Amino acid sequence: MFAVTRIVFLLLIGTSIDKALLANEPDSVYLFAYTTIKDKGRSGLHFAWSADRKKWNLVGNEYGYVKCDYGPWGEEKQMHTPYLFQNANGEWQCIWSLDETINQFAYVASANLVTWNSQRYPYLKKELTFRQPVVQYDKSSRQYTITFISGDKYYKINTIDFKTYDEAVAIPASAYKDDRITVTLPAGAVTGNVSKVAWSVVNKLTETATLKGYEYNQTRESFQNDSIRFAPLRSISATVTPDPEKRKPISDLLIGVFFEDINYAADGGLYAELLQNRDFEYTPADRKNRDSSWNSKHSWTTSGANLHFTIDSTTPLHINNAHYAVLNVQQPGSALINSGYDGIPLKKGDAYDCSLFVKNSDGKSRNLLVKLVNADGSILAQATIKTGSQQWKKYTTSLIAAADAKDARFELQPLSTGSVLLDMISLFPEKTFKNRKNGLRADLAETVAAIHPRFIRFPGGCLAHGDGVDNIYRWKNTIGPIEARKPQPNIWRYHQTVGLGYFEYFQYCEDIGATPLPVLAAGVPCQNSGLGANGFGQQGGIPMNEMDQYVQEILDLVEWANGPVTSKWGKLRAEAGHPAPFNLKYIGVGNEDLITDLFSERFTLIYNALKQQHPEITVIGTVGPFHDGSDYEQGWALASQLKVPMVDEHYYESPGWFINNPDFYDSYDRNKPKVYLGEYASHGNTLFNALAEALYLTNIERNGDVVHMASYAPLLAREKHTQWNPDLIYFNNTEVKPTVNYEVQKLFGNNAGTEYLPSVLTLSKEDEAVRKRLGISIVRDTTDGSIIVKLVNLLPVATSLKLDLTKLAPGSKAERTLLNGKPADRQNPVTVTTVAIGNVLEDTLLPYSFTVWKIHK
Ligand code: AHR
C-alpha cells in the first residue's frame, strides 16, 4: 500500500520529497512467483508482491523475467509449475516442469532475479515424468531435496549443487508438502510459491520491466506516424566538421556475407544442379516424417505403363549414397522423369552436361535415351548414352537446348527391356560461375559477388550445428567425388546433397576475393534441436569420449585448407584440383549455442587445440542468438576468460531497435574479444528497413576497430520455398531479385574504408529523435587514398548538409550515389552521378535516403 501511495503521491507532487517518502518503504514483502497456464508458460516467470499475503500487486505487468528455453522453436519452450527459492548462499534458484510428459525438468539460477544463468535440463529415470516440484534444504547434510509428482506417485531426488542428482526414489504422499498458494490477480487466479524479499528486490524488478517496456516501445518506432511525429520539422540543416587527427584504423574485412543452406539457397539455389533428388537419397527424416511424399522417389515420376520404377539399396554405388533407382522395362517407350526445382530452366544454345551412374545388373548392354522436354512436349535436346557395364560406371553426354524454356523436364528412356540400376543422375549447365565443374549458378553467384564481400561465412547458422548430434555438419562428408559425399537432412526440413561442399565454398571465396570463414559446431547441435533419441535431449553434445576425434576433424580442416600437398589432407585438396593453399585464417566455432556447461567444456577443448596447434587461425566464438540475455552474457564471459580473439553476435530486430541503438558498440571494451556481427537484419524488406540497416552500419563503421566483420542474414531465398523472411536476395529459376536491403549492403561493400575519420555533426535543431534518424560515417580507403562519406537520412524531411573537407585534403572529383524513395517502397533505383568537388561538400539529403560520396584522391 505504502508503495502505491508513494507512486501516486510522486505523480502528484513530483520527486522533490522522494527522500522523505523512502522512509515509508517496507523492509520486506512477499514475492509470489508464477507462470500462466493460458500460454503453457511460454511467457515465462512472472511476479506479484504483497505486504500481507492477501492483496497481491503485479510486478512489471506480467513481464517474463525468465523464459523456458527447452526444445524446438514454438512447440516447446514451456514452463509449468515453477518453484522459486534461494539456496544456502542466498542465490535464487528456479525449478519447473517442462511439459509433464518427459523425464526431464528445468533448473536455472540467478543472483538477482533479473539476469539469469544458463538453464539446465537434468534427466530422470526413463519411466518418470516431473510435475509440481517443491524444494527443501537440509542444513546439516547441506543437501537439497526436490519432491515432485510423476503420474499419481510422489518422488524425491537429492542434490547438493544442482549439477549432479541422486536417483529419484518414491516417497509416500504424506512426505510431499506443496506450499504453493493460489492468489487472485487482475488476470484471474494463479498458483505459485511465495518467498520473502527485501523491498529493493521488488523495486529492481519493477525498474527492469519498466526499462524493458521503454525499450520495447523504441523497437516499435516506424515510419507510419513520421508525418505527425516530425510535423514541426520543415527542414533541417546539418554541419559536419571532420576531425581527422582522431582517425583510427578500422577492419578491412567489415562487410561480408553469410551463406546458409536455408530457403533452398544451396540445392535448388546457388548450386547449379538442375535435377532434384538426383541421388535418390531424399528421406522422410528430412521432413521429420511429416510428409509422406518426401521419400527416395521424390521429384521422380514415370511415363507409360511399361516401366516399373523401384528404389533399392542392396548394391550401392557408395556406402554414403545407399539408394538408387531400379528400372524394369517390359516394353521400351516409357521414361523416368525429373522436373527439377519447379521445372528446369534452359537457355537456347547453351550446353548442359548430363551424367549418371549405370549398372546393367542383368548383364545386357543397353542404350539410354536422355531428353530435355519443354512443357508443351517439344523436345529441346536429346542424346543416346550407350551403357555396357555390369558394375556401377559413370556415363556422360552433353545436351544443347534448342530453345529457351522456363520449366522443362528431363526424361530418361531405356531403349531395351530388362533391369537397369541408376544413380546420381545429374544435369548441370556448362556455363556456371567462372565455368567451374560442379559449380555455382552464375547469376546468383555474380549477384552475391557484386556486394564485394570481404568474407563469406558458410555453410550456416543452424545448418552448421544441425538438428541433433547426428545431424551436425561434418566437413569431411562434403568433399571428394560427389557420389561419395554424404547427404543428410537439412535442419530447415529439406535435403542437402552437399554437392555444394567445402571445396566449392572455398573455391567460390577465392573466385570473388573473399576470406573464407567456415563455421563448425562446437561439439553441440542447434539449441532448437528436436529432442534427442540418444538420451541427450535439447541441445545435447558429442559424447566426451568422442570429442578428441571431433577436435581432430577441426584440426584436419586447417591442414586440408592450408597444408602442403604432401600432407594427408592437403593432398586431397590438391587432388580435387587446388594444389595451392586456400589461405584459411578464420574458423567460427559454434553458432548461437546455449552457453551451458556441456557447451563450455566442448568449446574449450576445441579452442585450446586450435590455439595450440594453429595459432595462426583466428577462432571466433559464439554469444547466443540475441544482443542480451544469459547466452550473450555468459558467452561473453567465457570468451573473455579464454581470451578468444573474436565472438559472433546475432540479432534480428525491428528497424526501431537499429535506430535507437546507435551507440551499441561505442562502450564495448576494446581489450576484450573483437566482434563479428555474424547475423543481423531488421524485420523487413522495405526502404525504411534498409535505411535503418544503413544507419546502423554507419555506427558499425565508427566502431570498426571493435567490430571486425558484419554480415546480413539470411542471404538467399528461393521464392515459394522460404523458411525465413526477410532475406537479402530472392530468386526463382530464371530471375534474381535483390532487395533494397541488398542495395545497402552493396553500397557499403563497394565503399569500404580502412580508416575511420571522426567528425562533429551540428544540427539546426538539436533533438534526440531527429539526431537518431541521421547517420554519417567518413572513412578513408588507404589503398587508393579516396575518402568516402556515407549519409543516411531517415527523416521525412530533407536535410541540407555542409561538410568542410579542408582538413581531409580531397581530390576534385567525386561520385555521388543515391538511394531514396518512399519508406514503404520495396524497390528503389540507385543513381550514380559524377560531380566536381571543392573544399566544402554541400548536399541536400532527400527524405528517406542513403547518399554515398566517393571522393577520389
Ligand atoms: O539466419 C537464419 C538463422 O538464424 C540461422 O541459421 C541461425 O544461426 C539464426 O537463428
Side-chain angles (χ1 to χ4, degrees):
M1 199 173 55
F2 8 79
V4 175
T5 319
R6 176 179 166 237
I7 291 163
V8 173
F9 199 52
L10 286 180
L11 285 175
L12 288 174
I13 61 166
T15 53
S16 56
I17 56 161
D18 195 24
K19 274 213 162 80
L21 280 172
L22 285 176
N24 276 343
E25 285 179 348
D27 287 345
S28 60
V29 289
Y30 297 101
L31 187 72
F32 178 70
Y34 69 101
T35 190
T36 56
I37 49 167
K38 58 177 185 276
D39 63 353
K40 296 191 175 159
R42 288 196 187 94
S43 53
L45 188 69
H46 308 304
F47 294 116
W49 72 269
S50 169
D52 55 8
R53 281 180 79 115
K54 288 182 193 130
K55 186 178 175 307
W56 291 92
N57 310 280
L58 289 183
V59 177
N61 201 17
E62 295 218 323
Y63 176 71
Y65 287 88
V66 59
K67 290 185 180 173
C68 180
D69 211 357
Y70 180 86
W73 285 296
E75 297 165 36
E76 301 286 335
K77 316 276 189 212
Q78 300 179 20
M79 176 185 278
H80 299 274
T81 58
Y83 193 87
L84 181 79
F85 60 100
Q86 278 176 293
N87 70 7
N89 304 322
E91 194 188 28
W92 290 101
Q93 323 277 306
C94 189
I95 282 184
W96 65 91
S97 154
L98 290 161
D99 73 358
E100 302 185 16
T101 62
I102 53 173
N103 62 332
Q104 278 176 282
F105 62 94
Y107 161 85
V108 69
S110 165
N112 51 16
L113 297 177
V114 172
T115 52
W116 295 80
N117 300 349
S118 307
Q119 296 173 21
R120 295 189 198 134
Y121 311 107
Y123 274 86
L124 301 167
K125 280 188 280 192
K126 261 207 172 99
E127 60 277 17
L128 292 182
T129 56
F130 188 87
R131 187 156 53 90
Q132 274 176 250
V134 176
V135 184
Q136 274 145 0
Y137 180 61
D138 179 50
K139 259 193 187 162
S140 56
S141 62
R142 294 192 183 157
Q143 189 165 261
Y144 300 87
T145 300
I146 308 169
T147 51
F148 62 97
I149 307 176
S150 173
D152 55 1
K153 299 210 165 59
Y154 300 86
Y155 292 85
K156 70 168 187 185
I157 32 177
N158 295 330
T159 179
I160 49 167
D161 54 8
F162 296 96
K163 282 187 177 167
T164 53
Y165 297 84
D166 293 348
E167 196 147 286
V169 291
I171 53 169
S174 56
Y176 173 77
K177 298 202 169 30
D178 192 358
D179 54 358
R180 285 178 178 79
I181 59 167
T182 297
V183 307
T184 304
L185 294 176
V190 282
T191 301
N193 78 310
V194 178
S195 311
K196 195 129 198 228
V197 296
W199 176 244
S200 58
V201 172
V202 175
N203 254 344
K204 186 76 197 157
L205 289 170
T206 309
E207 196 182 287
T208 302
T210 309
L211 182 64
K212 291 288 173 195
Y214 171 75
E215 288 171 356
Y216 174 70
N217 278 339
Q218 285 191 326
T219 65
R220 295 173 59 192
E221 177 167 344
S222 86
F223 59 87
Q224 302 294 357
N225 56 355
D226 275 2
S227 55
I228 301 165
R229 189 171 171 217
F230 295 105
L233 199 67
R234 296 271 164 255
S235 68
I236 185 150
S237 49
T239 313
V240 181
T241 316
D243 189 357
E245 314 261 277
K246 292 197 180 135
R247 68 185 178 274
K248 61 176 175 185
I250 56 170
S251 167
D252 58 357
L253 291 183
L254 199 53
I255 304 296
V257 294
F258 161 45
F259 177 90
E260 171 157 29
D261 187 2
I262 182 173
N263 306 319
Y264 283 70
D267 295 300
L270 188 60
Y271 184 50
E273 172 63 75
L274 292 168
L275 300 192
Q276 187 167 183
N277 192 17
R278 68 178 178 193
D279 53 8
F280 303 96
E281 295 301 329
Y282 275 29
T283 144
D286 293 342
R287 294 236 155 157
K288 290 261 170 196
N289 301 313
R290 286 176 194 152
D291 176 355
S292 58
S293 74
W294 197 275
N295 54 43
S296 302
K297 284 190 171 180
H298 189 277
S299 305
W300 293 97
T301 54
T302 54
S303 68
N306 295 313
L307 181 72
H308 191 54
F309 165 40
T310 52
I311 299 289
D312 199 4
S313 60
T314 42
T315 60
L317 167 60
H318 191 279
I319 192 163
N320 288 341
N321 177 15
H323 299 90
Y324 51 86
V326 180
L327 297 188
N328 219 306
V329 185
Q330 286 91 49
Q331 180 88 46
S334 302
L336 180 68
I337 300 168
N338 189 296
S339 303
Y341 298 88
D342 306 328
I344 298 173
L346 299 171
K347 278 209 179 112
K348 182 178 175 182
D350 278 5
Y352 295 84
D353 295 333
C354 172
S355 65
L356 68 168
F357 282 80
V358 182
K359 179 171 173 172
N360 286 295
S361 57
D362 60 3
K364 286 190 200 162
S365 296
R366 59 170 47 77
N367 290 344
L368 302 174
L369 180 62
V370 289
K371 296 187 216 169
L372 298 177
V373 182
N374 211 345
D376 62 6
S378 56
I379 294 170
L380 299 175
Q382 63 178 338
T384 303
I385 300 175
K386 297 187 170 150
T387 71
S389 177
Q390 289 180 38
Q391 297 310 320
W392 284 111
K393 186 173 170 193
K394 186 173 182 179
Y395 296 90
T396 59
T397 189
S398 179
L399 298 165
I400 299 184
D404 283 349
K406 270 191 164 176
D407 56 352
R409 61 182 185 267
F410 170 86
E411 292 196 3
L412 181 150
Q413 207 178 317
L415 296 180
S416 46
T417 57
S419 177
V420 61
L421 280 45
L422 306 165
D423 204 354
M424 297 303 290
I425 309 176
S426 165
L427 183 72
F428 237 91
E430 219 167 68
K431 286 186 188 159
T432 56
F433 183 65
K434 303 247 179 212
N435 294 325
R436 301 254 175 236
K437 286 281 173 217
N438 195 46
L440 308 182
R441 183 175 146 177
D443 55 356
L444 278 178
E446 278 155 13
T447 309
V448 173
I451 294 173
H452 193 3
R454 302 305 197 278
F455 66 89
I456 305 181
R457 174 183 180 230
F458 60 87
C462 291
L463 180 103
H465 54 180
D467 190 6
V469 172
D470 297 339
N471 191 239
I472 287 177
Y473 192 98
R474 313 295 284 253
W475 73 270
K476 287 184 182 174
N477 290 339
T478 75
I479 57 164
I482 53 169
E483 65 277 12
R485 298 185 187 183
K486 197 170 179 184
Q488 66 170 355
N490 182 318
I491 191 169
W492 299 106
R493 303 281 175 264
Y494 57 103
H495 177 81
Q496 36 180 339
T497 64
V498 296
L500 171 52
Y502 259 47
F503 184 85
E504 291 75 22
Y505 284 122
F506 274 83
Q507 181 69 78
Y508 183 45
C509 289
E510 186 173 272
D511 282 345
I512 66 170
T515 295
L517 167 43
V519 56
L520 298 137
V524 297
C526 182
Q527 75 280 15
N528 287 300
S529 288
L531 311 180
N534 58 4
F536 280 106
Q538 178 65 1
Q539 188 167 31
I542 293 176
M544 283 309 282
N545 62 4
E546 292 171 24
M547 273 304 289
D548 282 352
Q549 204 187 327
Y550 185 71
V551 170
Q552 189 56 47
E553 194 175 312
I554 297 181
L555 299 174
D556 290 345
L557 172 63
V558 184
E559 184 177 296
W560 177 82
N562 292 350
V565 295
T566 47
S567 65
K568 179 179 168 196
W569 290 97
K571 185 164 174 266
L572 285 187
R573 182 195 68 238
E575 282 168 8
H578 202 287
F582 271 128
N583 206 11
L584 173 65
K585 289 185 181 147
Y586 294 86
I587 292 185
V589 178
N591 175 64
E592 57 180 54
D593 302 289
L594 296 177
I595 312 297
T596 55
D597 296 346
L598 199 120
F599 164 85
S600 304
E601 198 177 6
R602 285 159 183 76
F603 177 87
T604 306
L605 263 186
I606 299 168
Y607 174 64
N608 286 342
L610 273 169
K611 194 170 97 171
Q612 198 190 355
Q613 302 213 23
H614 291 288
E616 75 282 11
I617 298 289
T618 301
V619 175
I620 306 178
T622 183
V623 295
F626 308 113
H627 49 68
D628 56 12
S630 61
D631 296 321
Y632 174 82
E633 279 156 22
Q634 293 183 32
W636 264 101
L638 178 70
S640 307
Q641 179 209 321
L642 294 175
K643 296 197 170 25
V644 178
M646 206 179 295
V647 297
D648 178 11
E649 294 190 346
H650 295 178
Y651 38 88
Y652 297 87
E653 277 289 356
S654 63
W657 187 90
F658 287 98
I659 293 168
N660 285 291
N661 285 278
D663 50 0
F664 189 74
Y665 292 109
D666 289 353
S667 56
Y668 262 47
D669 185 342
R670 266 55 187 168
N671 297 315
K672 283 201 170 169
K674 300 274 178 252
V675 173
Y676 165 37
L677 176 51
E679 296 181 26
Y680 71 94
S682 74
H683 304 314
N685 288 125
T686 68
L687 178 66
F688 191 75
N689 292 92
L691 293 179
E693 288 154 9
L695 193 72
Y696 198 69
L697 283 172
T698 60
N699 301 318
I700 296 259
E701 279 194 334
R702 185 176 65 251
N703 286 288
D705 55 330
V706 65
V707 182
H708 196 68
M709 301 187 257
S711 45
Y712 180 101
L715 180 64
L716 295 178
R718 186 180 179 87
E719 282 181 337
K720 300 190 186 136
H721 296 276
T722 55
Q723 294 86 42
W724 189 289
N725 278 297
D727 302 288
L728 199 64
I729 303 166
Y730 290 84
F731 63 90
N732 56 36
N733 275 345
T734 51
E735 295 163 293
V736 178
K737 301 178 175 178
T739 58
V740 64
N741 316 64
Y742 166 88
E743 300 302 343
V744 164
Q745 294 294 322
K746 197 168 142 192
L747 283 171
F748 271 88
N750 285 279
N751 292 288
T754 47
E755 223 173 52
Y756 184 78
L757 309 174
S759 58
V760 177
L761 174 69
T762 316
L763 301 180
S764 57
K765 178 168 172 41
E766 276 305 341
D767 175 292
E768 200 192 346
V770 170
R771 183 168 276 266
K772 278 182 171 172
R773 293 281 190 109
L774 292 171
I776 174 158
S777 164
I778 309 175
V779 295
R780 191 198 308 270
D781 181 352
T782 46
T783 58
D784 64 6
S786 59
I787 288 167
I788 300 145
V789 185
K790 301 189 185 78
L791 300 155
V792 183
N793 182 13
L794 251 172
L795 291 165
V797 297
T799 300
S800 41
L801 176 114
K802 256 191 196 170
L803 166 57
D804 182 358
L805 292 170
T806 35
K807 285 194 191 157
L808 302 180
S812 56
K813 218 177 87 192
E815 268 128 42
R816 178 179 182 264
T817 309
L818 174 67
L819 168 71
N820 84 298
K822 298 212 170 60
D825 288 351
R826 293 179 160 264
Q827 290 295 318
N828 298 82
V830 175
T831 55
V832 187
T833 43
T834 304
V835 189
I837 198 144
N839 277 339
V840 179
L841 186 160
E842 291 192 57
D843 198 355
T844 301
L845 308 180
L846 295 177
Y848 304 111
S849 67
F850 178 30
T851 312
V852 181
W853 284 83
K854 182 162 194 159
I855 309 168
H856 298 282
K857 189 165 180 182

